Amino acid sequence: MAVEIPKDTWTGEVHAVTLGAIEADGGTRTKTVTVGGEKTLPFMHFEGETPNAPVVAVEIKDRRPDDWSPLLEEAWGSAMDDPAAWAKAAEEAGADLIQLSLSLTGSDGNPTTPQAAVDAVKAVLGATGLPLLVFGPGQADLDNELLVPVAEATKGERLVLGLCEDKNYRTIAATAMANDHLVIARTAMDVNLAKQLNILISDMGLPLERILMDPTTGALGYGIEYGYSVMERLRMAALQGDAMTQLPMIVTIGIETWKTKEGKVGDGVPEAWGDWKERAINWETLTAVTLIESAADIVVLRHPESVKRVKAAVTDLMTV
Amino acid sequence: MALSGIQIYKLLPQTNCKDCGFPTCLAFAMKLAAKQVELSACPHVSEEAKAQLAESAAPPVRLITLKSNGHEIKVGNEVVLFRHEKTFYNKPGLFIRVRDDQPADAVKAAVAAVDAYTVGYVGMDLGLDGFAVESVSGDAATFAAAIGAVRTVSGRPLVLISKDAQVMAAGLGAVDGEQPLIYGADGDNWEAMADLAKQHKAPLAVIGSSLDELAELTEKIKGKGIEDMVLDPGGRDLSTSLVQATQIRRLSIKKNFRPLGYPIIAFPCDAGDPARESVLAAQAIAKYAGFVVLGDFSPEKVYPLLVLRENIYTDPQKPIQVQPGLYEINDPKPESPLLVTTNFSITYFSVANEVEATGIPTWLMVADAEGMSVLTAWAAGKFDAERIAKSVKTFNVEDKVSQKRIVLPGHVAVLSGELEEELPGWEVKVGPREAVDLPAFMKQVL
Amino acid sequence: MAEHTVTFDIADEPVVVPTGTMLAEAARLAGIDIMQPCGGQGRCGRCAVQVTSGSARSRSAQRLSPEAIEQGFVLACQTVVEGDLTVVVPPQEKVERRLTTDRVAAEIAVPVGYDPHSAQTIRRFSLMLSPPDMADQTDDWSRLETALRQEADIPRLRVSLPLLQRVGAILREGEWQVTAVLDTETWDCERCLPRLVDLIPGRVPHTMPLWGAAIDIGTTTVSLWLVDLITGKVEAQVAEYNGQIARGEDVISRIIYAGKSDDNSREMRELVLGTINELFEKACKRVKASPAEVAKVTISGNSTMMHLLLGIPAENIRLSPFVTAVNQIPTLSAGEVGLDINPEATVDCLPGVASYVGADISAGVLSSGTDDTDAITLFIDVGTNGETVLGSREWLVTCACSAGPAFEGAGVRDGMRATVGAIEEVWVNANTFEPTYRVIGGKQPRGICGSGLISLLGELFLTGIIDKGGNFNVDLDTPRVREGEHGGEYVVAWGDGTEHGRDIAITRVDVDNLLRAKAAIYAGFTVLADSVGIPFETIEQMLVGGSFGKYINIEKAVDIGLLPDMPWDHFQFLGNTSIKGAYLALLDKRSRRRIRDIATRMTYIELSADNTFYDAFMSALFLPHTDLSRFPSVSEAMTTKG
């Protein structure tokens, strides 16, 4: 019996967004990474094109973090003391992108200074040729204070600056616009909020081709289903032609999974959770792959073994 | 094709007699459209309407039940492609594979461990559903013996795997009276397998290397009077299995294509590598499988999958809630201030974000208001003095804070008197109505 | 427990109360009625009093300025007595009289072809009885019945004992000529005997009016139309604030207040009865009649108002699963209800559908004709509950979304009702950001009313002073946009030009409140349409009710996404559809039957049942809407104006 396979015909497609700029284009990257461009739901190769595979960014910090899981400390070792070394190690572990998170304070306990932020970013740019995403510490005022000088000092690099949120998007979007960078629009697990922030940022004049959206996700067991469905809905809206949802999606899975007890802690947890390391890596990997299958274009991870597994899964998924 | 509420309404008597238990015929029609009620609840519906409605009422993915002594698992009966469109109803069964060439003791030990396994997750005990016993020996007696060994330690439902009808017959004989899944029928053995399925009233898994072949087989088998089937479209890599599962679900939901309107069985156990197996199993859970067969059991492999299954099968129509409890923001000390709000996620996040931004160490008590915002919950009686006081006790707040002072949202200032009565010795303060005004309030007043 | 003496400056005597007594309660005991529009929730700040000596403890000082706190001002509803006190009570704000209904009473058209003989249940008959004598010792009552049988073919009658007690005297007073007023049929007992409602000595000329009244008990305003049942004409229209406002502005506050004790429940009942009885006095005076002549009343209102009026516990209206005690209230008499009119007068409380879709909406559907048209119609009563009905002759669905009172001017810092001194329309210059506005009464402004807020929000949005998310653009070069205590704000009127000398401004919090209100209403439309699978474009007419419906500027309401973007000829503004429905039901028994049918067949959609509403709400929580394709005319306006 010949079964006629129903194919969805989509009128819209996701913007292709290129991260990083090579020298010829005003930057210093040795390679760029393009995400997005999908013309169909994730990996439905039989009905539409997925020109760019989802990619993995590895999260590093500007200094050794105080609150990361011992499993991560074990994996990265002394590289964590130096952002440049850490970036190199991440690249070796298979990262497609480096995501640098600036700390709230320096190791002396004082707030991170703009100069320190710029130095860290420059050090990482010097150590790796991969495109870079830079996130502020997550407090509106300090984010603005640090990201503006970083953006200015790296003009033309097509860095990705994070994070624009609905109450604090103007400054970051403006500096990205002025210095040829990209931004991430982050909203709290809601299709409409995501769309609204994209509209607000694009209303400022930043082209949609320079915006990534982060609809936010919880880790497995901590609200992954909300992120999962929001991403499915956003991607369907994009393919149906809704311009304000046609942006590639990024999710910060590392920070979410490694703050869960399942990832972070080895002692004093139920025996039924099994081996700590394997469980923790499974936690990060399954969160990532599940969200990639729901439409994530960039997943930010922390553990090198998860990077390996997620990349293997992507290779498999991209096989036509 | 599913009918809308209005379309169904036009087939009903339109007398608003309330005999069905709903206030109007339209209300009943809308419940019917949502498949939340049976047509038989209406005693006045005409035969003609019944016939028309029955067609639209049949689930596009057939409900399949496996039964063993004291256990039962139902899969299928799904009505949507994406969980946000309604919900996914019946969680896929997770089965652990055992082989008949393993020594009986090893089988028993493995099965016993699985049978006993439970893990706690948000107040629920999660566990695995059953076992897939595979005939590797090709010998009927060995197969039956292995099944017997499983049955000595676990009564959970089974999938029996063999393509040899004689072997299968022996296996089925070992669990007579049960309803295991017979795996399976292919182009060569389908007639014999169909006979077995009929004889044992057991569902039959159908194996095909393409959807064309599968559809042809299920039609033939259906012609022999078998209604309960499960599909194995053959894909074993992430790309193929995702595409096949999606196509099958689309055909059933969008086209109501009956030959493929059955649940799918997936075999991540064939992956060879535990890391890849987990990824395949996760995909099967999210993307439409009805049965997922895993290889060797280990808690670190199974626990994340059980949690994922819960998450994906959570009803997305329910408001997003946060877990009620005492939350710590900015590393509070015992003397830090205590605020209270409800467990509606948006309410919680707007309060928590404002407090976090102040940098002031704070305790935030999230009361169980059934996921409603402050005003709605107050209006509906879900956020009153009694409930707040109960939360203070349940979350042992008194053990953690030294300053017995609680800040109420400004919208419920009216509760302050009652709360003082409910919490003797506590000082009740009224905070601002809007979260945006919290930073100023906290800096000036607290 | 320790007791304390509280001395109020305006009270005759001090009161003695135990520790922990609320200051508002102490005032009540002292015979002082302190306004508590928010129901004692510490939200409105209107109950501020000044403690000049003694010890009291306040839980909240919201709405009080630091200076006021310094001077000893406290909120009476948030302050407990902890020692002897002396308290100064500032002059209480008098509830302002509403301009509109009273001032320019709309001319109400009598339904075409109104014939009291066929339509009206209340009938009046002049009777000439033969006097009794020794030869004819028939009893008075039979004598009356006989006359009625001969005159009107009505063989038998029902009557109440109090009226029966007076029959003999009235017959003799009129020297055996009397006029009988009968209720010939009630909706809940169509085959019952006619009931004697009134017996008047002498023959009343048939041209004399026969009085009936249609009443709408709004949460905010109670309206009453006095109607001559013979001609069908509305002879007087009066309106007054609902006296229950002093115990809570919204229905929830009132339910909670009434539910606290039997005394409270009685008080709430008396408050609204007081308002209605005052209205009867006033209306009757205007037509030189006596309230005792009123023979029939129909009452419309939301379910809470109906329950509180009748003293029926209303608690379950607000508690899940949100059920009323009764939707179809049997016919009552004025005496039982407590109306100061003819105690025998028939009182017909119109039927509601659900807790939050009451008789006011059934009446609105009736008077708007939503139930009697082939066109798919969306009917909305713009108000706190934003009740919406979608349907046609074939089917009707309805929902209520708690929009909050922002469009009634409440919950907004400088918001006020549509009375003298309210800014009712605003225009903002797109280059200078300077506003011009129109004030009701033409004097200096005191605040902004609902229509003013809608037009202001629309202007702020189209001129880019706020972005689509409602965030103020504080970088603009104008002193009118500034940082206030709640974030950005826009000054509509500087203090030197306002009545109270303070700036009138709209704040970020106000904008959020208005956005939520409009989003809730719009989301209600969306969910109703989705629930029956009707695309928005197939809606053929949009009927807008509510007293608010008179002033609303369609263009601005569409600009902010409150009303759907439809061709203007689809819109029709109907004013108070609730009282119009009550009026129709008063006049015509067929309308009364129709309204029962409407209430029975309206299908109520509970919005809190799932996430659909929330999703639609979040989508509408943007200017004009997250999905701009729903508002083509607004996107066009944005490109031309921006």
Side-chain angles (χ1 to χ4, degrees):
Chain A
M1 183 191 286
V3 177
E4 192 193 334
I5 304 292
K7 290 186 182 178
D8 287 330
T9 45
W10 303 106
T11 53
E13 61 184 87
V14 180
H15 289 294
V17 172
T18 300
L19 287 68
I22 55 169
E23 211 171 336
D25 296 324
T28 63
R29 304 298 79 209
T30 53
K31 64 176 283 198
T32 63
V33 170
T34 300
V35 292
E38 294 91 342
K39 295 184 177 66
T40 180
L41 287 172
F43 315 110
M44 294 295 110
H45 305 299
F46 67 98
E47 66 180 9
E49 216 184 319
T50 303
N52 300 297
V55 297
V56 174
V58 171
E59 181 183 359
I60 64 169
K61 306 240 349 168
D62 52 352
R63 67 175 177 86
R64 177 177 281 270
D66 312 319
D67 57 353
W68 280 33
S69 170
L71 290 175
L72 294 167
E73 300 201 335
E74 174 196 293
W76 296 112
S78 61
M80 293 174 91
D81 294 316
D82 169 21
W86 198 348
K88 266 207 183 82
E91 186 172 358
E92 280 158 22
D96 300 302
L97 303 164
I98 304 294
Q99 187 259 304
L100 171 67
S101 297
L102 299 171
S103 305
L104 196 54
T105 59
S107 42
D108 57 0
N110 292 320
T112 303
T113 62
Q115 190 54 52
V118 170
D119 291 347
V121 170
K122 291 225 152 159
V124 172
L125 286 173
T128 168
L130 298 180
L132 178 63
L133 302 83
V134 182
F135 289 7
Q139 284 190 4
D141 293 344
L142 195 56
D143 281 4
N144 295 344
E145 201 182 309
L146 300 182
L147 289 177
V148 172
V150 164
E152 285 164 356
T154 57
K155 186 174 166 74
E157 286 282 13
R158 286 181 77 90
L159 299 189
V160 181
L161 304 176
L163 299 162
C164 288
E165 299 187 85
D166 61 344
K167 301 286 178 201
N168 184 49
Y169 66 91
R170 286 177 175 274
T171 309
I172 298 171
T175 197
M177 211 155 27
N179 297 295
D180 300 327
H181 297 305
L182 285 61
V183 299
I184 293 173
R186 168 179 280 183
T187 45
M189 288 196 246
D190 184 281
V191 174
N192 289 297
L193 291 177
K195 214 178 136 180
Q196 288 166 7
L197 185 55
N198 298 339
I199 295 173
L200 293 173
I201 294 176
S202 82
D203 276 358
M204 284 186 66
L206 190 65
L208 289 174
E209 292 75 11
R210 277 162 61 188
I211 309 173
L212 302 171
M213 59 177 165
D214 175 357
T216 311
T217 183
L220 177 60
Y222 296 82
I224 189 177
E225 65 272 31
Y226 302 124
Y228 181 85
S229 283
V230 166
M231 289 169 73
E232 282 195 334
R233 289 181 60 185
L234 282 168
R235 183 52 48 89
M236 283 175 77
L239 296 173
Q240 281 160 0
D242 181 346
M244 289 302 161
T245 56
Q246 293 171 335
L247 312 178
M249 288 187 270
I250 175 169
V251 272
T252 54
I253 284 156
I255 186 169
E256 293 301 327
T257 46
W258 290 97
K259 77 182 177 197
T260 69
K261 215 171 173 186
E262 281 82 351
K264 200 168 178 177
V265 192
D267 298 329
V269 299
E271 212 175 297
W273 287 13
D275 175 72
W276 178 22
K277 184 172 170 187
E278 184 58 24
R279 171 187 78 233
I281 290 166
N282 256 336
W283 218 262
E284 187 171 36
T285 304
L286 294 200
T287 304
V289 176
T290 302
L291 292 173
I292 285 174
E293 285 169 351
S294 88
D297 295 280
I298 304 175
V299 290
V300 184
L301 304 179
R302 282 187 175 175
H303 199 285
E305 176 61 23
S306 315
V307 174
K308 200 175 108 200
R309 293 186 188 182
V310 171
K311 286 185 69 90
V314 169
T315 307
D316 194 353
L317 284 164
M318 286 300 288
T319 309
V320 181
Chain B
M1 204 53 211
L3 298 177
S4 75
I6 291 286
Q7 287 167 322
I8 295 174
Y9 170 71
K10 293 186 173 162
L11 298 171
L12 295 177
Q14 301 180 28
T15 51
N16 301 323
C17 71
K18 301 185 171 60
D19 286 351
C20 59
F22 294 93
T24 63
C25 291
L26 181 54
F28 179 62
M30 286 156 87
K31 290 282 172 189
L32 274 176
K35 300 197 189 330
Q36 289 164 344
V37 64
E38 299 284 326
L39 180 63
S40 56
C42 174
H44 310 295
V45 69
S46 71
E47 287 305 319
E48 185 193 344
K50 253 184 214 165
Q52 283 190 51
L53 288 168
E55 171 63 14
S56 93
V61 180
R62 191 171 173 82
L63 181 71
I64 300 295
T65 307
L66 302 193
K67 278 186 197 148
S68 62
N69 203 2
H71 294 271
E72 185 180 86
I73 171 166
K74 288 176 189 291
V75 307
N77 230 6
E78 301 299 338
V79 297
V80 291
L81 268 160
F82 300 97
R83 57 186 291 282
H84 67 259
E85 293 172 325
K86 178 155 238 79
T87 186
F88 290 172
Y89 288 102
N90 292 302
K91 292 170 200 163
L94 296 184
F95 286 69
I96 295 289
R97 179 173 61 183
V98 292
R99 295 181 159 116
D100 73 347
D101 62 344
Q102 292 167 289
D105 286 347
V107 169
K108 282 187 201 172
V111 169
V114 172
D115 192 72
Y117 180 76
T118 63
V119 61
Y121 172 67
V122 294
M124 293 178 286
D125 285 326
L126 308 181
L128 294 153
D129 300 286
F131 302 92
V133 188
E134 182 174 1
S135 162
V136 181
S137 66
D139 177 66
T142 313
F143 190 48
I147 294 167
V150 172
R151 272 289 168 263
T152 59
V153 282
S154 172
R156 291 177 193 271
L158 301 180
V159 178
L160 304 184
I161 303 177
S162 171
K163 288 192 183 170
D164 182 326
Q166 278 176 356
V167 172
M168 185 57 73
L172 286 164
V175 285
D176 200 26
E178 295 188 14
Q179 230 178 67
L181 174 63
I182 302 173
Y183 181 97
D186 60 18
D188 301 326
N189 68 3
W190 66 272
E191 288 189 274
M193 286 293 181
D195 288 341
L196 284 174
K198 199 160 189 183
Q199 187 189 337
H200 290 268
K201 296 194 181 65
L204 177 60
V206 183
I207 308 154
S209 58
S210 70
L211 300 195
D212 294 350
E213 193 186 326
L214 259 186
E216 204 170 298
L217 265 177
T218 58
E219 284 297 275
K220 282 190 204 158
I221 294 169
K222 196 176 177 187
K224 295 205 77 176
I226 307 294
E227 299 278 354
D228 289 340
M229 285 179 263
V230 170
L231 309 174
D232 177 5
R236 293 292 185 269
D237 65 88
L238 283 169
S239 180
T240 315
S241 55
L242 179 63
V243 166
Q244 285 179 338
T246 306
Q247 290 176 341
I248 289 171
R249 179 66 75 94
R250 262 195 211 171
L251 280 161
S252 16
I253 306 283
K254 291 181 149 181
K255 304 284 176 200
N256 211 6
F257 183 67
R258 298 290 181 191
L260 295 177
Y262 304 98
I264 295 168
I265 183 166
F267 290 91
C269 54
D270 292 344
D273 152 44
R276 188 154 174 272
E277 181 188 359
S278 288
V279 172
L280 277 160
Q283 184 193 72
I285 288 168
K287 293 293 180 185
Y288 314 133
F291 298 96
V292 181
V293 182
L294 300 170
D296 297 339
F297 165 76
S298 78
E300 60 273 14
K301 173 163 86 187
V302 160
Y303 173 43
L305 294 174
L306 287 170
V307 171
L308 180 66
R309 183 174 70 167
E310 287 306 313
N311 292 167
I312 295 291
Y313 278 75
T314 300
D315 183 357
Q317 301 300 320
K318 291 204 180 124
I320 306 184
Q321 303 186 7
V322 292
Q323 197 72 13
L326 186 63
Y327 285 73
E328 302 179 6
I329 301 181
N330 303 327
D331 290 326
K333 318 276 176 298
E335 65 275 15
S336 300
L338 170 68
L339 313 183
V340 59
T341 191
T342 70
N343 66 327
F344 177 46
S345 67
I346 304 292
T347 304
Y348 166 79
F349 283 120
S350 51
V351 172
N353 287 346
E354 292 295 344
V355 175
E356 208 173 301
T358 62
I360 300 173
T362 307
W363 301 95
L364 177 59
M365 187 178 85
V366 176
D368 183 359
E370 298 180 15
M372 296 182 208
S373 66
V374 169
L375 263 183
T376 318
W378 166 72
K382 305 292 184 197
F383 188 57
D384 53 19
E386 203 182 313
R387 282 194 179 226
I388 297 170
K390 206 177 123 202
S391 301
V392 169
K393 291 184 184 88
T394 318
F395 307 140
N396 299 319
V397 176
E398 299 206 355
D399 301 344
K400 292 173 187 154
V401 306
S402 59
Q403 198 185 2
K404 289 169 102 181
R405 184 178 69 183
I406 187 165
V407 179
L408 277 181
H411 277 299
V412 290
V414 68
L415 298 178
S416 48
E418 288 164 39
L419 189 57
E420 279 184 352
E421 281 167 28
E422 294 276 345
L423 291 174
W426 280 73
E427 183 192 347
V428 177
K429 270 261 168 216
V430 176
R433 289 194 282 160
E434 304 295 336
V436 288
D437 293 330
L438 265 172
F441 172 83
M442 293 181 71
K443 279 171 193 148
Q444 285 160 18
V445 183
L446 296 182
Chain C
M1 194 177 273
E3 302 219 313
H4 312 288
T5 305
V6 184
T7 312
F8 292 95
D9 63 332
I10 57 166
D12 300 337
E13 284 179 10
V15 287
V16 177
V17 295
T19 299
T21 303
M22 201 62 71
L23 200 49
E25 175 64 12
R28 208 173 67 85
L29 293 172
I32 300 167
D33 193 23
I34 291 181
M35 277 290 290
Q36 289 174 251
C38 70
Q41 297 170 37
R43 299 198 304 211
C44 65
R46 302 242 194 102
C47 64
V49 295
Q50 192 180 13
V51 176
T52 50
S53 77
S55 145
R57 184 170 53 84
S58 282
R59 299 190 187 108
S60 169
Q62 265 185 46
R63 304 245 155 195
L64 293 178
S65 65
E67 301 82 61
I69 296 170
E70 187 75 13
Q71 291 160 13
F73 276 94
V74 297
L75 299 180
C77 73
Q78 292 295 317
T79 302
V80 288
V81 178
E82 293 197 328
D84 292 351
L85 292 179
T86 314
V87 180
V88 175
V89 183
Q92 289 292 296
E93 181 192 356
K94 279 275 166 270
V95 176
E96 306 142 11
R97 229 153 268 272
R98 180 174 282 237
L99 279 175
T100 52
T101 34
D102 222 15
R103 187 188 55 183
V104 272
E107 190 68 31
I108 305 301
V110 176
V112 178
Y114 174 64
D115 171 13
H117 292 284
S118 57
Q120 189 48 254
T121 61
I122 298 285
R123 303 288 305 280
R124 189 172 62 191
F125 301 100
S126 283
L127 304 171
M128 173 96 75
L129 282 65
S130 53
D133 56 30
M134 291 304 281
D136 177 7
Q137 289 183 324
T138 307
D139 64 293
D140 294 347
W141 180 251
S142 302
R143 199 171 294 281
L144 180 66
E145 285 191 324
T146 305
L148 260 174
R149 186 170 55 240
Q150 291 165 350
E151 171 73 25
D153 198 25
I154 292 172
R156 290 184 57 215
L157 276 185
R158 284 180 299 151
V159 66
S160 73
L161 179 58
L163 188 49
L164 188 56
Q165 287 164 340
R166 293 165 43 225
V167 165
I170 296 169
L171 294 181
R172 285 168 184 82
E173 188 190 338
E175 295 172 346
W176 307 101
Q177 290 198 15
V178 289
T179 303
V181 179
L182 268 51
D183 191 344
T184 57
E185 184 184 323
T186 57
W187 75 270
D188 55 343
C189 189
E190 285 172 17
R191 267 174 238 104
C192 280
L193 292 179
R195 188 173 62 87
L196 186 64
V197 171
D198 204 358
L199 194 63
I200 306 155
R203 300 183 66 142
V204 174
H206 68 270
T207 50
M208 280 286 282
L210 170 58
W211 295 113
I215 299 176
D216 169 44
I217 307 180
T219 310
T220 309
T221 308
V222 180
S223 307
L224 183 149
W225 291 0
L226 198 60
V227 180
D228 178 358
L229 300 178
I230 305 289
T231 60
K233 271 180 77 174
V234 178
E235 298 290 352
Q237 296 180 46
V238 287
E240 181 58 270
Y241 281 113
N242 186 331
Q244 292 174 342
I245 285 185
R247 299 288 171 263
E249 278 195 348
D250 55 281
V251 292
I252 301 295
S253 302
R254 292 191 208 168
I255 293 173
I256 291 175
Y257 183 86
K260 279 202 176 125
S261 68
D262 289 350
D263 276 352
N264 281 14
S265 165
R266 202 170 306 126
E267 184 192 351
M268 291 303 263
R269 198 174 167 198
E270 281 161 7
L271 283 169
V272 67
L273 281 171
T275 305
I276 295 173
N277 288 330
E278 251 177 67
L279 289 173
F280 269 117
E281 278 289 336
K282 201 161 117 186
C284 288
K285 204 183 227 167
R286 202 172 290 172
V287 299
K288 301 191 173 57
S290 152
E293 295 171 40
V294 178
K296 184 181 181 184
V297 177
T298 49
I299 302 181
S300 178
N302 64 50
S303 301
T304 303
M305 292 303 110
M306 214 61 107
H307 280 61
L308 294 179
L309 169 75
L310 301 175
I312 299 171
E315 274 289 306
N316 290 317
I317 288 181
R318 77 175 181 104
L319 300 176
S320 173
F322 315 111
V323 291
T324 57
V326 54
N327 285 336
Q328 307 249 3
I329 297 162
T331 306
L332 304 167
S333 73
E336 346 174 52
V337 175
L339 301 179
D340 287 344
I341 55 175
N342 175 359
E344 304 298 332
T346 300
V347 176
D348 187 2
C349 296
L350 298 179
V353 178
S355 276
Y356 293 111
V357 177
D360 49 344
I361 303 308
S362 314
V365 169
L366 173 77
S367 65
S368 64
T370 307
D371 66 314
D372 192 29
T373 169
D374 291 323
I376 294 184
T377 301
L378 191 57
F379 165 70
I380 167 133
D381 188 59
V382 180
T384 310
N385 283 324
E387 299 97 335
T388 304
V389 180
L390 176 67
S392 64
R393 185 168 302 156
E394 283 188 60
W395 47 269
L396 294 167
V397 287
T398 180
C399 71
C401 45
S402 54
F407 289 131
E408 290 161 30
V412 173
R413 196 184 73 183
D414 289 319
M416 65 181 286
R417 297 208 176 86
T419 57
V420 173
I423 295 176
E424 61 172 348
E425 183 133 37
V426 185
W427 300 265
V428 176
N429 183 303
N431 300 316
T432 63
F433 306 110
E434 285 298 302
T436 40
Y437 47 78
R438 190 173 66 225
V439 179
I440 299 180
K443 305 203 184 93
Q444 287 193 322
R446 260 189 319 131
I448 316 170
C449 67
S451 57
L453 289 166
I454 289 175
S455 100
L456 176 57
L457 192 62
E459 290 289 291
L460 294 181
F461 161 51
L462 288 177
T463 54
I465 293 171
I466 54 176
D467 68 18
K468 290 170 183 161
N471 302 295
F472 280 87
N473 185 357
V474 287
D475 303 332
L476 290 179
D477 183 23
T478 165
R480 296 221 173 232
V481 180
R482 65 187 184 193
E483 282 287 348
E485 62 176 307
H486 305 291
E489 60 183 36
Y490 175 82
V491 183
V492 184
W494 297 110
D496 56 14
T498 65
E499 189 191 291
H500 42 49
R502 293 190 304 270
D503 294 349
I504 293 174
I506 181 167
T507 70
R508 168 76 225 207
V509 170
D510 296 339
V511 170
D512 283 347
N513 267 328
L514 291 163
L515 283 182
R516 281 197 289 264
K518 76 101 188 171
I521 289 173
Y522 190 86
F525 304 152
T526 331
V527 172
L528 270 195
D530 287 353
S531 74
V532 289
I534 294 286
F536 244 59
E537 304 78 59
T538 58
I539 295 170
E540 293 159 82
Q541 54 174 345
M542 169 97 207
L543 307 178
V544 184
S547 51
F548 170 88
K550 278 181 207 168
Y551 321 103
I552 192 168
N553 173 329
I554 312 178
E555 187 186 353
K556 292 290 168 53
V558 171
D559 282 347
I560 65 167
L562 167 62
L563 295 179
D565 198 348
M566 293 181 182
W568 288 13
D569 59 8
H570 282 31
F571 287 91
Q572 211 180 320
F573 293 87
L574 303 173
N576 186 340
T577 54
S578 172
I579 195 164
K580 279 187 195 153
Y583 166 67
L584 295 175
L586 174 73
L587 284 188
D588 195 330
K589 53 191 173 195
R590 283 159 300 198
S591 295
R592 183 57 181 83
R593 260 180 242 134
R594 213 174 107 197
I595 199 172
R596 182 183 52 183
D597 184 46
I598 289 168
T600 314
R601 71 192 184 92
M602 251 200 273
T603 298
Y604 176 68
I605 311 283
E606 173 61 52
L607 295 182
S608 65
D610 61 33
N611 265 351
T612 335
F613 176 75
Y614 177 72
D615 223 38
F617 172 74
M618 289 306 286
S619 188
L621 199 58
F622 206 56
L623 290 168
H625 193 277
T626 309
D627 182 359
L628 198 55
S629 67
R630 286 169 172 272
F631 288 86
S633 80
V634 184
S635 41
E636 204 172 304
M638 278 160 32
T639 33
T640 52
K641 201 153 183 175

